[in-house]
Amino acid sequence: AIYIFGGMDAAGHFTDSTVRIHRVGDNTWEATTIDDSASKPRPRAFHSGVLVQGQMFVFAGIGPGNEFYNDLWCLDLVSREWHFRRPLSDPPTPRAFHGAVALGGKFLIHGGHANSRFAVDPSSTVEILGDTWQYDTEFGRWTHFPSALSPLISHFAMAAIGSWVFAFAGSSRSSTALGTVYEFSTQSLGWQQQVSAGLMPIPRFGHVGVVNEAHFIVHGGTISDQDPQVFLGDLWIWDVQWTYWTQITPKSATVPSPRAYHAVVTLE
C-alpha cells in the first residue's frame, strides 16, 4: 500500500490531516477515518516522511501562515492512529525542504530551510541549514551530529547505502544550484565531500534520488528558481564504490518530460 499525508493544492491551500491510502492490489484509494477529537498533526507541506518498523514518521514542514514546524508524529499503519512523539531531548530547529532517510530503527535528517526566527543572519528571511540529526524511535531521543564539513543544502536528494548516507546537489544560501556529492558515515558520524572522475551531472535542485544496490540514481530537477525556469530530464548513476558518474541514455523513444520536485521509488 501507498500512504500519502500532507501537501498543498494548485491554489496554494494546504490539504487536511487525512491520510490517504492506495491499495496496489485492487487499485483503490481510501481515506483514514480519524475522530476530529483525536490527536493528529496539523496540515503541512515540505515535510519529510520515513517508514521505520511499520510506522510512518512525519517531521517538520511548513503550515498555514508560513509557520515552520519541528514536531514529530508517528502513524501506526495497523491501528491507523497518530501519536505525537514528545522529544526526550532537544529537537532540531523548525525546518522544511530537508532530507530524511531511515536507518534500521532510527532515521536521519539533514539540512533544509529555516525561517527568519531561527536564521543565523537576522536580515535573511530564509536560512539554509547544515545540521545533521538522528532520531531513535525506540528511546524517543534526538541526537545532533556536528561535523566541520556538514553541507549547507536544501531541496537535495538523500539516500542510504549500507553504513553510508549520500546527499547530492541542492540549493545553497544564495539559491545557487549545487552539484556536489557528500557522504555521511554512520560509524564516524561525519560528512565528507566526494571527488568524482569523468563527466558529472550539472548542478541542480528539486531533483529525486533512489538507491539500487550499490548505486545512487538521480533524475531531473531544475537549475534555477527564477523565471523562466529550466527543468532537467536527465538520468545519472553514481557508483558508490568507484565514485564515478555515468549518464544513462534511454533506448526507448518515449522518456519522462523534464521535471522537478517529483518523487521516485525503486521496485526490486
Side-chain angles (χ1 to χ4, degrees):
I2 299 170
Y3 293 77
I4 294 178
F5 168 75
M8 59 172 54
D9 60 23
H13 300 138
F14 289 88
T15 60
D16 59 25
S17 295
T18 301
V19 175
R20 289 168 172 82
I21 306 170
H22 181 259
R23 300 292 179 186
V24 179
D26 54 11
N27 193 25
T28 60
W29 284 96
E30 64 176 290
T32 56
T33 302
I34 300 177
D35 190 288
D36 288 339
S37 63
S39 178
K40 56 187 175 182
R42 294 168 288 182
R44 68 193 63 204
F46 316 120
H47 48 291
S48 61
V50 294
L51 178 67
V52 180
Q53 298 178 342
Q55 301 178 99
M56 182 170 73
F57 287 83
V58 171
F59 174 68
I62 302 176
N66 201 36
E67 182 178 0
F68 281 63
Y69 301 144
N70 68 337
D71 53 345
L72 177 64
W73 290 82
C74 172
L75 176 67
D76 188 306
L77 302 186
V78 177
S79 67
R80 300 185 184 179
E81 293 179 340
W82 282 106
H83 300 280
F84 173 61
R85 287 297 189 102
R86 190 174 304 278
L88 301 180
S89 57
D90 291 337
T93 56
R95 68 192 61 213
F97 307 108
H98 51 288
V101 64
L103 297 168
K106 306 172 183 177
F107 66 87
L108 198 78
I109 68 120
H110 178 79
H113 276 186
N115 68 352
S116 57
R117 290 181 299 164
F118 301 94
V120 175
D121 179 3
S123 65
S124 173
T125 57
V126 172
E127 181 75 5
I128 304 297
L129 300 170
D131 50 345
T132 304
W133 295 76
Q134 179 178 271
Y135 183 78
D136 189 313
T137 63
E138 179 180 358
F139 297 102
R141 299 186 67 86
W142 285 102
T143 302
H144 178 219
F145 297 143
S147 173
L149 298 178
S150 182
L152 297 164
I153 48 177
S154 69
H155 300 85
F156 59 99
M158 188 172 175
I161 301 177
S163 60
W164 297 93
V165 174
F166 294 88
F168 169 66
S171 177
S172 68
R173 281 181 173 175
S174 59
S175 296
T176 301
L178 305 173
T180 307
V181 175
Y182 293 92
E183 64 176 24
F184 177 83
S185 170
T186 59
Q187 297 176 346
S188 65
L189 305 179
W191 287 94
Q192 63 182 12
Q193 182 176 332
Q194 286 290 297
V195 178
S196 174
L199 294 175
M200 297 176 59
I202 64 173
R204 67 193 63 203
F205 56 89
H207 50 293
V208 293
V210 69
V211 168
N212 183 11
E213 297 180 348
H215 298 91
F216 186 18
I217 304 172
V218 173
H219 176 264
T222 181
I223 63 175
S224 173
D225 59 0
Q226 302 297 317
D227 290 330
Q229 278 190 284
V230 176
F231 293 93
L232 304 171
D234 50 348
L235 182 67
W236 291 79
I237 292 182
W238 167 259
D239 189 299
V240 173
Q241 180 179 1
W242 299 104
T243 65
Y244 195 91
W245 282 107
T246 301
Q247 184 172 8
I248 303 302
T249 302
K251 297 180 180 179
S252 60
T254 303
V255 297
S257 60
R259 65 193 64 200
Y261 309 114
H262 46 310
V264 63
V265 297
T266 181
L267 179 63
E268 298 180 357

